[in-house]
Amino acid sequence: MISLKSILSKKGYVRIKLKKTNTNHFEVKAKINGVKGRFILDTGASNSCVGLDMISHFKLEAKESKIKAAGAGAIDMETQQSTQNTLEIDSWKYHNLNLVLFDLSHVNIALKNHGAKTVEGIIGADILEKGKAIIDYKKKRLYLKKLVYKF
């Protein structure tokens, strides 16, 4: 029987390890602008996000935003935005990442309360859609199709 890994590899997908946290979230390690971080993979988050306290850490240029964020029990949170960033997850790369920046302290408090490690951000549906994501829940793997850039 042909494995999912070999089928997707032939179609240009990158296989990425996921770690299941104590809160039953999948965690993924990634780099934004060349800087490592830990992120929750959240299929229900429309946009990828980074905590406001991580702006300098990830070398982001923050701009004002009129968008209000909601999620994980919080609503109407003030946000900022950052555009034209680079995201690397394993060998998968995206060169035009837009991020929503907001206070993730409520997320990290909840993670800590359940004995999980804190995160710097969230990988959302925008990236999953861009990478034509396939999640293998049983083997804890994320597959993202490599992007082709024309420079």
Side-chain angles (χ1 to χ4, degrees):
M1 182 156 89
I2 300 172
S3 70
L4 181 62
K5 174 185 171 184
S6 64
I7 292 169
L8 293 177
S9 178
K10 288 176 186 172
K11 293 188 177 280
Y13 278 80
V14 173
R15 185 174 77 138
I16 299 155
K17 275 187 184 181
L18 297 173
K19 179 182 173 190
K20 200 159 195 183
T21 68
N22 292 349
T23 57
N24 286 325
H25 290 97
F26 279 130
E27 177 185 288
V28 64
K29 292 182 180 175
K31 291 181 187 176
I32 294 177
N33 301 327
V35 180
K36 292 179 184 178
R38 182 181 300 116
F39 300 83
I40 288 175
L41 185 69
D42 188 348
T43 60
S46 56
N47 296 90
S48 294
C49 311
V50 167
L52 285 169
D53 58 335
M54 293 288 122
I55 291 171
S56 62
H57 177 75
F58 288 118
K59 306 172 192 170
L60 303 173
E61 288 189 32
K63 301 173 188 166
E64 300 238 352
S65 174
K66 294 180 183 176
I67 298 169
K68 300 280 186 184
I75 58 169
D76 285 338
M77 293 181 288
E78 297 293 325
T79 67
Q80 293 182 32
Q81 61 182 341
S82 181
T83 59
Q84 299 180 328
N85 297 289
T86 301
L87 173 67
E88 296 175 61
I89 306 174
D90 202 276
S91 63
W92 187 84
K93 293 181 178 127
Y94 180 46
H95 295 289
N96 195 19
L97 176 66
N98 296 327
L99 291 165
V100 174
L101 312 172
F102 70 101
D103 183 1
L104 286 177
S105 61
H106 64 288
V107 171
N108 281 321
I109 288 169
L111 289 170
K112 277 176 152 175
N113 287 343
H114 287 90
K117 292 180 181 177
T118 60
V119 295
E120 285 78 38
I122 296 166
I123 301 296
D126 56 339
I127 293 305
L128 300 175
E129 184 176 1
K130 181 59 84 177
K132 298 180 181 176
I134 296 170
I135 301 171
D136 182 341
Y137 285 89
K138 184 176 181 180
K139 294 191 177 175
K140 298 180 185 80
R141 298 288 186 260
L142 168 66
Y143 293 88
L144 295 173
K145 188 169 177 93
K146 285 188 180 180
L147 300 172
V148 178
Y149 289 96
K150 296 174 183 166
F151 294 103

